[in-house]
Amino acid sequence: MAATLTYEYSVRDRSGKIVSGKLEADSQASVVQKLKSMGYAPLQVTEKKSGGMNAELSIPGFGGKVKLKDLAVMSRQFAVMINSGLSLLRALTILSEQTENKKLAGILGEVRSDVETGNSLSSAMAKHPAAFPPLMVNMTKAGEIGGFLDSVLLQIAENYEAEVRLRGKVKSAMTYPVVVFVMAILSVVGMLLFIVPIFQGLFDDLGGTLPAPTRFLILLSTILKMVAPALVVVLPVSFAVWSRVKDTDRVRNFVDPLKLKLPVFGTLFRKIALSRFARNLGTMMKSGVPILQSLDIVADTTGNVVLGRAIRDVQTSVRNGESLCKPLALHPVFPPMVVQMMSVGEDTGALDEMLYKISEFYDQEVEATTESLTALIEPLMIGFLGGIVGSMIIALYMPIFKIFDLIK
């Protein structure tokens, strides 16, 4: 006897209204047949996952997010299907069924339903700002109006793929120092909480005056034992608060300028922002998005408010009839090379191609910078970790050299 399963469905009734619900049946085909017999047009039928050990774990704040990599893969597949002659609704159905990101799959199903009711693809995507960035929505709108949606989707895919590669290079450069730094912190905390108190009891039994480094280490251990319970509570709360406020204007207006002024990493952050600016602006201009609208969107996608403010000033100047490159020269965040290359592109009518070349140049600069940083940071972090742990061990063993004197 076949097991009865619960299925969640989404259908369209005779009046055109979308209705959702649940049905128990032995297979998905049985649910579809039953819904059709009731006069409904099935849109989506999925098996409801059971609870217990088979239930998927869902931790609030983790997972369920549409990443740039998901958008890049989706855009490239979408472009191939549109270029192959598939209808928009059929392509959206296939995408919602085969995408690995379940959050994106559900959103694509809703987009398909909106398109089926007569809405444009861009307006349906605009209803989900958490999944589809403004850059993607506006480029899709330009492709719909111009009749070249497949080429626009390919440009979106190439743009996000380049962004994913850029982020990957930065993460690969930062992973090693962050891991070593965390290991150093954990080692220090572990020694102060568990090892130093053992030596402290030994020193108290022996008596005598301890060396200054050892007394300082014991003082740190005592303080840490007192504040450790508070730190266990404060640190998770601090991370949660930071994740909520880090993208607010007040925080970014303070943090982003500091990023560009850091001794070594400031140059890297600047190159990343310039690469993102050039690539996004070039992609939108090539797609036919108006220049003022492109600048408005690009100002919010550079990842740094300093560049964002400069782009806003450029937007105001362009709105007043000035050229694009003249106001750029007034902002030191844009190097002379960028201004001159954009000026040549503007004069020759190939600004989008010139912006792509600028983006490729800074992508290569970011890669070279991250490689040199990795080569420099590795020995420094090893020396840093060894110096901290070694200093603590020396401070602990300094009194042992006087043990025989204290015993006598």
Side-chain angles (χ1 to χ4, degrees):
M1 183 175 180
T4 302
L5 302 174
T6 302
Y7 292 88
E8 296 178 338
Y9 65 83
S10 178
V11 298
R12 191 178 301 281
D13 59 16
R14 291 186 176 88
S15 63
K17 184 179 178 181
I18 296 177
V19 180
S20 300
K22 299 177 184 178
L23 275 177
E24 291 186 356
D26 55 0
S27 67
Q28 189 177 25
S30 301
V31 177
V32 173
Q33 185 177 1
K34 186 173 183 179
L35 291 172
K36 287 182 178 180
S37 65
M38 297 167 64
Y40 294 130
L43 299 176
Q44 188 175 14
V45 177
T46 57
E47 180 184 345
K48 183 181 179 182
K49 299 296 181 180
S50 59
M53 296 297 292
N54 295 325
E56 294 186 2
L57 294 177
S58 179
I59 304 175
F62 296 89
K65 184 178 180 182
V66 179
K67 300 179 181 179
L68 282 181
K69 185 177 180 180
D70 300 321
L71 294 179
V73 173
M74 184 211 78
S75 300
R76 187 166 292 279
Q77 293 174 344
F78 203 175
V80 171
M81 286 187 282
I82 296 296
N83 193 29
S84 300
L86 270 69
S87 67
L88 193 59
L89 291 175
R90 180 60 178 164
L92 287 170
T93 301
I94 296 172
L95 286 173
S96 64
E97 291 175 351
Q98 72 180 16
T99 183
E100 296 180 0
N101 189 308
K102 295 188 177 181
K103 177 73 173 178
L104 181 58
I107 292 174
L108 287 172
E110 296 178 16
V111 170
R112 183 197 180 283
S113 300
D114 288 339
V115 172
E116 193 176 15
T117 59
N119 293 326
S120 65
L121 177 62
S122 57
S123 62
M125 293 169 63
K127 296 180 181 179
H128 307 278
F132 304 115
L135 182 142
M136 186 176 185
V137 174
N138 283 274
M139 287 181 63
T140 303
K141 183 178 181 180
E144 285 179 311
I145 295 173
F148 45 88
L149 181 60
D150 54 344
S151 61
V152 166
L153 289 169
L154 281 177
Q155 292 173 22
I156 294 172
E158 292 171 357
N159 181 288
Y160 285 148
E161 287 167 357
E163 180 70 18
V164 169
R165 287 194 298 269
L166 183 66
R167 292 186 179 185
K169 294 171 186 175
V170 176
K171 287 181 179 179
S172 64
M174 297 299 296
T175 298
Y176 182 82
V178 169
V179 170
V180 174
F181 182 74
V182 171
M183 288 177 60
I185 296 296
L186 292 178
S187 300
V188 170
V189 171
M191 292 183 68
L192 290 175
L193 288 179
F194 303 107
I195 298 178
V196 173
I198 296 175
F199 280 82
Q200 182 181 1
L202 175 64
F203 299 151
D204 292 339
D205 294 337
L206 293 175
T209 303
L210 297 175
T214 308
R215 294 200 305 271
F216 177 72
L217 201 61
I218 293 174
L219 176 62
L220 288 179
S221 176
T222 304
I223 295 174
L224 184 60
K225 285 191 292 184
M226 294 173 59
V227 302
L231 289 177
V232 172
V233 178
V234 170
L235 288 178
V237 173
S238 300
F239 282 119
V241 172
W242 173 251
S243 64
R244 288 179 176 272
V245 304
K246 65 178 181 179
D247 294 325
T248 59
D249 293 338
R250 190 172 184 179
V251 173
R252 292 192 63 188
N253 288 333
F254 177 77
V255 174
D256 286 0
L258 292 180
K259 288 182 179 179
L260 300 180
K261 295 178 182 178
L262 292 175
V264 178
F265 292 96
T267 304
L268 177 62
F269 290 138
R270 184 187 184 192
K271 291 176 180 178
I272 293 171
L274 288 171
S275 172
R276 190 174 288 132
F277 156 75
R279 181 170 52 252
N280 291 344
L281 183 59
T283 303
M284 297 196 74
M285 293 189 67
K286 189 174 182 179
S287 302
V289 181
I291 181 63
L292 290 176
Q293 190 174 357
S294 299
L295 290 171
D296 186 47
I297 296 170
V298 170
D300 296 327
T301 58
T302 58
N304 194 286
V305 296
V306 178
L307 264 76
R309 291 173 191 162
I311 296 170
R312 297 287 185 193
D313 293 342
V314 172
Q315 183 186 22
T316 303
S317 300
V318 172
R319 186 180 288 112
N320 294 333
E322 296 183 18
S323 65
L324 178 64
C325 300
K326 183 179 178 181
L328 282 178
L330 303 177
H331 296 278
V333 70
F334 291 99
M337 184 203 73
V338 174
V339 178
Q340 293 300 323
M341 289 182 68
M342 290 181 63
S343 179
V344 172
E346 195 173 20
D347 293 339
T348 58
L351 181 57
D352 54 344
E353 298 296 332
M354 197 63 72
L355 286 167
Y356 278 126
K357 292 180 180 179
I358 294 172
S359 176
E360 291 174 359
F361 170 78
Y362 278 109
D363 281 345
Q364 295 173 359
E365 284 286 299
V366 168
E367 184 175 1
T369 303
T370 52
E371 289 178 356
S372 61
L373 278 176
T374 303
L376 175 65
I377 287 174
E378 284 185 11
L380 291 178
M381 293 302 294
I382 292 174
F384 171 73
L385 178 58
I388 290 180
V389 177
S391 300
M392 295 181 67
I393 293 175
I394 292 173
L396 287 176
Y397 278 89
M398 284 178 67
I400 295 180
F401 300 133
K402 300 182 179 180
I403 283 182
F404 294 106
D405 297 336
L406 293 174
I407 293 175
K408 294 177 180 180

